Amino acid sequence: NAGVTQTPKFQVLKTGQSMTLQCAQDMNHEYMSWYRQDPGMGLRLIHYSVGAGITDQGEVPNGYNVSRSTTEDFPLRLLSAAPSQTSVYFCASSYLPVNYGYTFGSGTRLTVV
Amino acid sequence: AQTVTQSQPEMSVQEAETVTLSCTYDTSESDYYLFWYKQPPSRQMILVIRQEAYKQQNATENRFSVNFQKAAKSFSLKISDSQLGDAAMYFCAYRSRGGGSEKLVFGKGTKLTVNP
């Protein structure tokens, strides 16, 4: 079982560049979300989705876009990378309702220079 | 909005000893879920234990147990017989059971060091 697969694992971007972080799950989970983890800040919710075609903003959505065209995939797009977006990004998924927590991907470490 | 506070940024324990990590949360709700996640140096987030607020009995998973004090809004994690592999960041998380909210709110984490 693959679980939640995130690619790439590491990425370095220049300021102003755009890129897409990929997230795919094979568990038929309805709920998917993106978090960013920064030192001393814990995990903060960026965007989430409760099903194909449905997305919503989390706590820190500025500078990021998402879409959910299929149940399996939930890509996160950085429109114009900024140094403040240097972080570790986690994709997480779950059945609905989320009674048993999330299954997390292994994370993407992004550095914006 | 609910908040989760982990007041101990770092903790250390001797191998084979017991350590308790603290977590408090702020909510006006009566029904919710609480979780502890472990993040070892590999970066992978691993669910350690969960607690349903309407259950009075404290959850246990092998060497991991919780002390859930609903009135005090406290949810501490006890690790018994600590092992070197327990060294990790530990995150406490809250999820409301009502209102269609599926979001987990995380604390800022506690870094646990296990000394041989």
Side-chain angles (χ1 to χ4, degrees):
Chain A
N1 292 335
V4 179
T5 302
Q6 284 186 240
T7 56
K9 295 193 183 307
F10 301 93
Q11 183 70 49
V12 178
L13 285 180
K14 294 183 178 179
T15 298
Q17 286 185 319
S18 63
M19 79 160 295
T20 299
L21 306 184
Q22 301 292 344
C23 176
Q25 53 89 10
D26 62 356
M27 297 169 284
N28 206 30
H29 285 170
E30 300 95 338
Y31 183 86
M32 297 186 75
S33 58
W34 280 100
Y35 284 82
R36 61 177 288 173
Q37 181 182 12
D38 302 291
M41 300 294 291
L43 282 81
R44 293 181 292 169
L45 181 65
I46 305 172
H47 286 286
Y48 65 97
S49 169
V50 296
I54 306 169
T55 63
D56 206 346
Q57 296 181 353
E59 181 184 356
V60 288
N62 292 342
Y64 307 96
N65 273 356
V66 292
S67 60
R68 184 99 179 265
S69 56
T70 67
T71 300
E72 294 78 18
D73 300 299
F74 191 47
L76 178 72
R77 282 181 287 277
L78 281 71
L79 309 174
S80 177
S84 60
Q85 293 179 303
T86 293
S87 188
V88 177
Y89 292 84
F90 284 98
C91 179
S93 71
S94 172
Y95 293 114
L96 287 174
V98 180
N99 293 344
Y100 293 90
Y102 298 153
T103 300
F104 281 85
S106 57
T108 296
R109 180 175 293 278
L110 175 68
T111 302
V112 182
V113 298
Chain B
Q2 291 83 13
T3 58
V4 177
T5 301
Q6 294 179 247
S7 59
Q8 307 150 316
E10 295 188 21
M11 292 279 287
S12 64
V13 63
Q14 292 297 126
E15 199 174 1
E17 297 293 309
T18 295
V19 64
T20 299
L21 309 184
S22 67
C23 172
T24 58
Y25 53 95
D26 183 22
T27 184
S28 58
E29 299 170 338
S30 60
D31 201 7
Y32 45 86
Y33 293 93
L34 296 163
F35 305 88
W36 278 99
Y37 277 88
K38 171 185 178 182
Q39 186 182 41
S42 67
R43 202 168 69 197
Q44 183 68 50
M45 294 284 288
I46 303 164
L47 179 64
V48 174
I49 202 164
R50 68 184 277 274
Q51 175 79 41
E52 301 178 48
Y54 64 88
K55 289 187 177 180
Q56 295 300 311
Q57 187 173 3
N58 289 325
T60 62
E61 288 288 342
N62 300 313
R63 296 183 295 107
F64 297 87
S65 61
V66 299
N67 183 6
F68 173 49
Q69 302 288 330
K70 191 173 184 179
K73 297 179 185 176
S74 172
F75 183 60
S76 60
L77 176 70
K78 186 171 81 170
I79 306 174
S80 304
D81 185 25
S82 296
Q83 301 175 0
L84 295 178
D86 295 333
M89 283 290 291
Y90 286 84
F91 293 96
C92 179
Y94 170 101
R95 187 224 146 196
S96 168
R97 192 170 182 174
S101 173
E102 309 297 338
K103 294 174 279 189
L104 263 63
V105 178
F106 288 87
K108 294 183 178 181
T110 296
K111 182 179 181 181
L112 178 66
T113 301
V114 181
N115 301 309

